[in-house]
Amino acid sequence: MLKILSKITFAEVEAIKKRFLMINRERLRRAEDCMRNNQRDFLDFLPLLFHTNHTRLPGYSSKDTPAGICDYVPSSRALTAANKYVNRFEYQKRAMPRYDIISMFLMGSSGTVAYSKKSDFDIWLCHQNDLSAERLAELQSKATAIEQWADEQGLEVHFFLMEPESFKAGKIVDLSSESSGTAQYYLLLEEFYRTSLLLAGRYPAWWLVPVEEEANYAAYIKGLQEKRLIGESETVDFGGIPTVPAEEFFGAALWQLFKGIDSPYKSVLKLLLMEVYAHEYPNIELLCLRFKKAIFNGENDLDRLDPYLMLYKKLEEYLVKREDEERLELVRRCFYLKVGQKLSLPEPKDFDWRRDVMRSQSNSWGWERGQVQTIDNRANWKIQQVVKERGILVKELTYTYQFLSDFARKYAQLAAINQRDMTALGRKLYAAFERKTGKVEIVNRGISENVWEPVLTFYQIRQRDHQGGWTVLVDGSGEVGDPNNSSTAVKRAHSLIEALSWAHFNGLMDATTVPKAIRADGRQITREIEDFERAIVKLMPRSLVLETNVDALGRSVKVQQAVVVVNLGADPMAQNVRDGKCLASNRMDAFSYGGMFECLISSFDMILLTSWKEVVTSHHSGIENVLNGISSYFQWSPPSKGVAPPAPEVLCVSQNHTTTIRQRVERLFKELIDCFYGSKEGVNNRFVFMVERIYYVLYLEDDALRYQRLPSYADLLRYLGKGRQTFGRVIVDDAALNDTLLPLMLKFNKPGVVQLFYKDEGRVADVYVLDEHGSLFYQQVEFFDSQRLLLHFRKFFDSVLHRQYFQLSGLEGASGDAAEIEYFRISRNSQNQLQVGRIEPVEGTVKGFFSIQVLAENNDVAPNSFRIYCDDREFSSLEYGSRLFSEVAAYIVSRRQGGQRYPIFITDLDLPPSMFADYGGGRAPIADFLNYKKNIEIKLNEALDVLSRGGVHPLRPGS
């Protein structure tokens, strides 16, 4: 290197610099020739905006905002452009103490054959390395303001603030929609060196280093400065690029796949370039080095130096060598579409050098006019061609990605990409390509602009003994085609909702499409499909799935929006209407409608749009499948996380009771969200509602919504009476159990409190107990008076709860008290409305009351392991065996005045510790004791009945 530097002269360095500047100038001229007037004016005006802080200029923030571009003097064109935007603008040249902006570069396709008037402007704004954080924020604020102003002018502009020293140290911005983030460093620099255009400021030092000295880049630049062939403040230095580390290729591949999902043609070219570089590794001939070598060798033909033509040439060389004609044809098509020159259209009046280049290329490829016309009409390709093309593109993207994945595993320990970016990129690939049941495949991304069909037919196929899936048929004549004919069937789906969603989100169908839908039984459901599409166009426009949010990809997937469609293609009341039957009743609950308690909801379809832009559909027929569908919906937002999913929009396309059904399903979702997400203890809550005459209790288990089917009210009470480990409320659906006391009582429920409610019905009383954990105990007992009823329960509660408290806490250092007890009487007021009133048992109001204590050895109520104490008299199963309950009943009767035969109530119960094993802390809820008590009392009162009917006294056999 020293030998080369000793021979190089100032004139030679100047000649190389002038050659690069001349190529830069001519490419800028080419770029301007292709631009709209406002684009040219903006580029002329742009450097001036950052050279000075003028209050009248767009983007002005403050006088302290970093400004001044090194070596920049506004041209007459710049001042003319400024006056177009700002009337009577006068630029005053002033000496500046420092220049905060080093250089300004235009990145991308500008000045190349691939540029179009729709192309955006990506600007590298290179600033000094000593800007404070506050001044850097000011500069970013100004750049953002100019982006917004440019948008108002119809221009898309993106600024990237670059500090050369930090860039050389490998500091790159994180992933965004406009940045490849940490996915690549050298590859980004490689693209910059061959595509960037210098707009103002210092030129790149990289221009001056011969290709053969790229490995000695830093020493070579230092040598030029030491020999004073260039000044230290003459260039901007981003560093050399002798090769690309192996670990960059996989990160770059992921990024290109990320972009390729929405813009496949451009990404195919860049992905294949990564493949070529990886194939050449470690002796890679980078395109930027090929570009620089050509200029050093005196090349000045802009076509030969065109970055995109050079890219195509390198790919062509690679594929020709591999004799891969199929992939080469795809690359040619991608390149042609990227350039965007439609050669089948009439020649324009003005000469366009890009068109001339592409005509020469297509002729060399041997393309015929028909082939060119087909490609030029891509915007109007119909779905069959789109699906075929997507298959080719996905195959190519997948192949190259797999090649680079294998390369990364072979040559690199880690991909040069941080975990956050890796996660976001991987999630978008998953969302776009992963197949799963019910997921709608979006096949038309970046391929055709118009696959809309005026007529679509949805046809259900019957397969032997069951109904099969649905096909989507395209037939311009409007007649139903053969569903098994692949020329007309463009899609097959498991459900109608999947078929409809596929047609909608891929752009085949909108509100103007004429749909036909025919079930396997021959019945047409066209009107329902029309109603569905009119609604879904507004609720979930296709554009929603085409907008990727990188921040959302960095977080766990969740439901962004949901639509529930009720009775799609199946109206349970249709047959009644056809038969002239009409349901008339005050019962308006769609789950239990009319006097026959009929369910108006036969099917339930769901469309979910996730935060990762997946569309997932599901079909549920029958009430229990509907509940499973609701459960799967809530699993997207686990209740333990405390964040509720969005309430779905509900559509009902039935011809009957549409509003009733829609509002009922909306209310059900709202009630479920309130039940399980509305409070901290919501994860322990239970929700009760009724379908026809069947009760369902919904509850959470392992963060998933489950249900219990209960055929009768008695079954419901038994289920709710089971002891629970933690407190949870029982929420009753607004339309259920209105003819019972449950909704009224359950509103009083609170944790840590035992509540007894009773309602006397003459000779009997209904007794309900809500325990400290929210379990509901029910018992119907003979009723004599309120105080006798309340006192016996009070004695029982006091005995059991205090024993548990002392057993667990100990007499010393007890933390807290036994559960609080509340008593309520339910009665009717003068308007015959139910009311709840507090009542307290009063000691001494009942005479002849004595205690009955039961000590159990196991959880069986058979009389083989009990000791029962009636006051001080002990009765043991060891002594009496199967006659235990009869002996106790006889003794109790003997103690009563006149031998009264009113029911026997237990006042104390002690259960073995083995019964508490399933409960945390070894403490069983009072509901378990009450259920055990109730069962023993049944046995005792059965024995009492035998005595009352004149049965044999157990103490006097045979008497």
Side-chain angles (χ1 to χ4, degrees):
M1 181 197 69
L2 295 176
K3 186 176 181 181
I4 295 175
L5 277 172
S6 64
K7 294 181 179 180
I8 195 167
T9 65
F10 178 78
E12 290 172 325
V13 173
E14 279 293 299
I16 291 297
K17 180 178 73 173
K18 288 180 179 179
R19 198 175 299 163
F20 272 97
L21 287 171
M22 183 271 293
I23 297 297
N24 188 84
R25 183 176 63 251
E26 290 304 307
R27 285 180 58 195
L28 271 173
R29 181 186 59 76
R30 272 192 163 187
E32 291 168 352
D33 287 345
C34 302
M35 291 179 184
R36 304 189 304 268
N37 290 335
N38 67 332
Q39 290 175 317
R40 282 194 291 269
D41 290 340
F42 175 78
L43 277 189
D44 289 335
F45 186 30
L46 180 60
L48 183 58
L49 292 176
F50 287 95
H51 189 62
T52 182
N53 282 326
H54 195 291
T55 56
R56 297 182 63 199
L57 292 181
Y60 176 79
S61 177
S62 74
K63 65 179 181 179
D64 297 323
T65 302
I69 302 177
C70 299
D71 305 325
Y72 173 71
V73 177
S75 65
S76 59
R77 283 179 52 176
L79 296 175
T80 299
N83 276 283
K84 289 183 180 180
Y85 291 110
V86 183
N87 288 333
R88 303 175 68 179
F89 171 76
E90 293 185 5
Y91 170 73
Q92 295 181 348
K93 183 177 181 181
R94 294 193 181 105
M96 302 184 72
R98 61 174 276 150
Y99 294 91
D100 292 317
I101 311 299
I102 302 172
S103 301
M104 183 181 292
F105 293 92
L106 177 62
M107 280 281 290
S109 62
S110 296
T112 74
V113 70
Y115 179 79
S116 76
K117 294 179 180 179
K118 295 181 181 179
S119 297
D120 56 358
F121 291 150
D122 289 342
I123 310 295
W124 276 26
L125 196 61
C126 309
H127 58 84
Q128 299 285 3
N129 63 3
D130 59 352
L131 292 183
S132 66
E134 293 78 10
R135 300 196 74 221
L136 196 59
E138 284 264 356
L139 182 60
Q140 180 62 67
S141 177
K142 180 173 184 175
T144 301
I146 293 174
E147 287 178 351
Q148 295 168 349
W149 172 78
D151 184 64
E152 295 170 2
Q153 313 304 313
L155 304 171
E156 185 179 353
V157 180
H158 306 283
F159 289 101
F160 299 91
L161 271 58
M162 310 295 293
E163 194 276 288
E165 292 302 319
S166 295
F167 186 89
K168 281 197 291 185
K171 296 180 180 178
I172 309 177
V173 293
D174 283 340
L175 186 66
S176 72
S177 59
E178 296 298 332
S179 163
S180 57
T182 59
Q184 47 190 305
Y185 166 74
Y186 284 103
L187 289 169
L188 179 62
L189 186 60
E190 189 275 332
E191 184 177 1
F192 168 78
Y193 279 146
R194 63 184 163 87
T195 68
S196 63
L197 294 174
L198 176 64
L199 297 178
R202 300 175 183 170
Y203 65 90
W206 180 82
W207 284 0
L208 306 180
V209 180
V211 171
E212 56 271 18
E213 294 298 327
E214 199 76 25
N216 305 312
Y217 176 90
Y220 192 91
I221 292 296
K222 184 178 181 180
L224 291 177
Q225 292 171 346
E226 289 175 349
K227 290 192 64 178
R228 299 189 177 181
L229 298 177
I230 58 171
E232 290 188 7
S233 60
E234 183 177 339
T235 63
V236 58
D237 190 1
F238 288 102
I241 179 169
T243 188
V244 175
E247 59 266 22
E248 273 207 19
F249 290 112
F250 185 62
L254 276 177
W255 168 246
Q256 288 306 323
L257 272 174
F258 184 93
K259 299 286 280 187
I261 291 168
D262 301 317
S263 302
Y265 293 104
K266 180 178 179 180
S267 289
V268 163
L269 299 175
K270 291 196 172 185
L271 259 177
L272 185 55
L273 179 62
M274 298 303 101
E275 180 184 330
V276 175
Y277 283 163
H279 185 76
E280 294 175 342
Y281 184 84
N283 301 312
I284 305 172
E285 186 195 21
L286 296 172
L287 278 175
C288 66
L289 299 183
R290 182 184 283 197
F291 171 75
K292 181 161 69 171
K293 186 174 184 179
I295 295 176
F296 264 79
N297 290 339
E299 180 64 71
N300 58 12
D301 186 322
L302 293 183
D303 290 348
R304 293 178 180 274
L305 295 173
D306 186 288
Y308 275 86
L309 287 169
M310 293 182 74
L311 166 63
Y312 168 74
K313 187 66 176 176
K314 187 170 183 70
L315 302 183
E316 183 185 56
E317 291 169 358
Y318 172 72
L319 294 173
V320 167
K321 187 175 181 180
R322 295 170 64 89
E323 298 181 349
D324 199 335
E325 189 64 32
E326 183 179 348
R327 295 181 75 197
L328 178 58
E329 191 62 27
L330 174 61
V331 165
R332 287 169 175 169
R333 190 159 67 250
C334 291
F335 183 72
Y336 181 85
L337 289 169
K338 169 60 183 170
V339 172
Q341 290 293 316
K342 296 184 177 181
L343 300 180
S344 63
L345 297 181
E347 292 290 329
K349 294 181 180 179
D350 300 325
F351 173 77
D352 189 328
W353 66 271
R354 295 171 303 164
R355 187 179 181 88
D356 195 50
V357 168
M358 287 312 301
R359 185 184 300 106
S360 175
Q361 288 291 331
S362 65
N363 289 338
S364 70
W365 299 339
W367 280 8
E368 297 179 355
R369 180 171 179 78
Q371 185 176 359
V372 173
Q373 287 177 328
T374 298
I375 298 175
D376 285 348
N377 193 43
R378 176 175 65 97
N380 296 308
W381 283 358
K382 293 307 175 185
I383 194 65
Q384 296 96 324
Q385 194 159 1
V386 167
V387 171
K388 180 180 178 181
E389 182 77 351
R390 183 180 186 272
I392 296 171
L393 289 167
V394 170
K395 178 182 176 182
E396 174 64 21
L397 293 171
T398 305
Y399 174 85
T400 309
Y401 169 74
Q402 190 60 54
F403 176 88
L404 291 168
S405 299
D406 294 342
F407 173 84
R409 282 191 289 270
K410 182 177 180 181
Y411 289 103
Q413 291 287 327
L414 296 170
I417 176 174
N418 70 26
Q419 189 57 49
R420 175 184 174 274
D421 287 358
M422 176 76 84
T423 299
L425 294 170
R427 283 173 175 171
K428 178 158 184 177
L429 298 178
Y430 171 86
F433 297 128
E434 183 72 12
R435 291 188 175 96
K436 57 186 178 184
T437 302
K439 181 176 175 179
V440 175
E441 188 177 23
I442 308 301
V443 297
N444 186 24
R445 291 181 185 268
I447 299 176
S448 174
E449 297 177 8
N450 179 24
V451 296
W452 174 80
E453 292 289 344
V455 178
L456 278 179
T457 300
F458 299 88
Y459 193 94
Q460 188 178 27
I461 302 172
R462 182 181 293 279
Q463 296 179 344
R464 294 184 181 178
D465 297 332
H466 66 280
Q467 294 177 343
W470 288 77
T471 59
V472 184
L473 310 175
V474 175
D475 186 0
S477 67
E479 299 296 327
V480 178
D482 178 2
N484 296 304
N485 185 344
S486 59
S487 63
T488 59
V490 295
K491 175 65 177 177
R492 288 176 172 80
H494 289 288
S495 65
L496 178 56
I497 194 66
E498 183 183 350
L500 289 170
S501 299
W502 181 86
H504 169 72
F505 286 105
N506 280 293
L508 280 78
M509 181 170 66
D510 63 18
T512 65
T513 298
V514 177
K516 293 185 178 182
I518 304 170
R519 299 197 328 178
D521 60 11
R523 187 164 74 86
Q524 289 206 22
I525 51 173
T526 297
R527 189 198 64 79
E528 292 96 319
I529 305 306
E530 292 173 340
D531 291 346
F532 165 82
E533 184 58 22
R534 278 193 294 268
I536 206 69
V537 163
K538 297 177 182 178
L539 295 175
M540 281 188 171
R542 179 173 179 259
S543 58
L544 288 178
V545 304
L546 304 178
E547 302 166 355
T548 299
N549 185 306
V550 174
D551 290 336
L553 290 168
R555 298 186 289 267
S556 298
V557 66
K558 63 181 181 180
V559 174
Q560 177 180 318
Q561 192 174 345
V563 173
V564 167
V565 188
V566 183
N567 294 348
L568 179 62
D571 186 346
M573 304 307 296
Q575 188 60 47
N576 284 350
V577 173
R578 285 193 292 270
D579 294 342
K581 298 177 182 178
C582 182
L583 297 178
S585 171
N586 291 330
R587 288 193 58 81
M588 301 299 291
D589 179 14
F591 286 107
S592 302
Y593 190 85
M596 299 299 292
F597 290 77
E598 294 196 53
C599 182
L600 304 183
I601 297 167
S602 65
S603 69
F604 183 98
D605 291 287
M606 192 175 291
I607 308 172
L608 304 181
L609 175 65
T610 76
S611 55
W612 295 355
K613 302 304 178 182
E614 295 175 285
V615 177
V616 182
T617 65
S618 58
H619 171 73
H620 312 276
S621 181
I623 189 60
E624 296 194 1
N625 285 327
V626 166
L627 293 178
N628 290 332
I630 294 174
S631 174
S632 66
Y633 178 68
F634 284 114
Q635 281 185 284
W636 287 89
S637 299
S640 63
K641 303 296 183 182
V643 179
E649 297 283 349
V650 179
L651 303 177
C652 179
V653 293
S654 295
Q655 297 186 34
N656 304 288
H657 309 292
T658 302
T659 302
T660 298
I661 294 171
R662 176 179 57 78
Q663 292 177 347
R664 182 64 179 93
V665 175
E666 286 175 348
R667 192 168 81 247
L668 176 62
F669 271 96
K670 181 181 184 304
E671 289 179 345
L672 288 172
I673 289 172
D674 290 344
C675 176
F676 295 111
Y677 296 87
S679 61
K680 289 183 179 179
E681 69 269 12
V683 293
N684 298 317
N685 287 350
R686 290 173 289 177
F687 182 83
V688 180
F689 84 119
M690 188 171 73
V691 180
E692 296 179 340
R693 296 178 186 273
I694 306 298
Y695 296 96
Y696 289 88
V697 178
L698 279 67
Y699 61 94
L700 293 172
E701 182 178 86
D702 298 328
D703 238 4
L705 195 63
R706 312 292 188 195
Y707 67 86
Q708 179 69 43
R709 182 181 185 275
L710 301 162
S712 69
Y713 181 65
D715 293 323
L716 174 65
L717 291 178
R718 278 191 291 272
Y719 178 82
L720 295 178
K722 295 178 180 178
R724 311 189 76 213
Q725 295 194 32
T726 53
F727 175 78
R729 299 183 186 277
V730 177
I731 310 298
V732 179
D733 175 65
D734 287 345
L737 299 170
N738 290 327
D739 55 349
T740 73
L741 302 178
L742 260 62
L744 184 65
M745 294 183 300
L746 290 167
K747 292 178 181 178
F748 288 81
N749 196 202
K750 48 190 174 183
V753 179
V754 176
Q755 299 166 312
L756 182 145
F757 301 81
Y758 80 94
K759 183 176 185 296
D760 64 273
E761 301 286 354
R763 298 187 62 182
V764 296
D766 289 322
V767 177
Y768 298 86
V769 177
L770 285 168
D771 77 3
E772 65 273 33
H773 291 164
S775 296
L776 176 67
F777 167 79
Y778 169 74
Q779 183 177 13
Q780 190 175 73
V781 299
E782 289 188 48
F783 182 73
F784 289 87
D785 62 73
S786 295
Q787 286 301 317
R788 186 179 298 276
L789 175 73
L790 296 178
L791 278 171
H792 109 258
F793 273 105
R794 177 176 178 175
K795 287 181 178 292
F796 182 81
F797 291 148
D798 287 347
S799 299
V800 172
L801 293 175
H802 282 88
R803 179 186 297 109
Q804 276 206 338
Y805 166 72
F806 289 123
Q807 284 178 344
L808 293 175
S809 303
L811 291 173
E812 296 182 5
S815 57
D817 300 320
E820 181 184 351
I821 315 294
E822 295 177 347
Y823 302 88
F824 300 90
R825 180 173 183 262
I826 301 175
S827 60
R828 292 190 180 272
N829 60 21
S830 58
Q831 285 79 38
N832 201 37
Q833 296 172 328
L834 289 173
Q835 60 183 10
V836 179
R838 284 289 296 267
I839 187 171
E840 291 295 334
V842 179
E843 290 288 350
T845 57
V846 178
K847 296 180 179 180
F849 210 110
F850 64 97
S851 65
I852 302 174
Q853 183 186 32
V854 177
L855 279 64
E857 299 294 333
N858 58 41
N859 57 6
D860 187 2
V861 294
N864 56 7
S865 56
F866 287 106
R867 280 181 293 163
I868 300 177
Y869 293 88
C870 298
D871 283 342
D872 295 326
R873 173 71 184 271
E874 177 183 347
F875 295 84
S876 171
S877 57
L878 296 175
E879 180 180 358
Y880 295 106
S882 63
R883 294 183 292 111
L884 174 66
F885 294 136
S886 298
E887 293 291 340
V888 171
Y891 176 76
I892 292 172
V893 171
S894 70
R895 290 288 307 274
R896 291 175 175 172
Q897 292 182 356
Q900 293 174 337
R901 303 298 174 94
Y902 52 82
I904 299 172
F905 297 117
I906 296 171
T907 58
D908 190 11
L909 174 64
D910 189 22
L911 298 175
S914 60
M915 288 190 63
F916 310 152
D918 293 337
Y919 295 103
R923 179 171 182 166
I926 198 67
D928 274 7
F929 286 90
L930 287 168
N931 282 309
Y932 205 102
K933 168 184 178 290
K934 176 182 175 180
N935 290 330
I936 296 175
E937 287 175 347
I938 289 173
K939 297 291 185 182
L940 287 171
N941 286 305
E942 286 175 350
L944 187 64
D945 284 343
V946 172
L947 290 176
S948 67
R949 292 195 301 268
V952 177
H953 194 288
L955 298 179
R956 295 189 295 274
S959 63

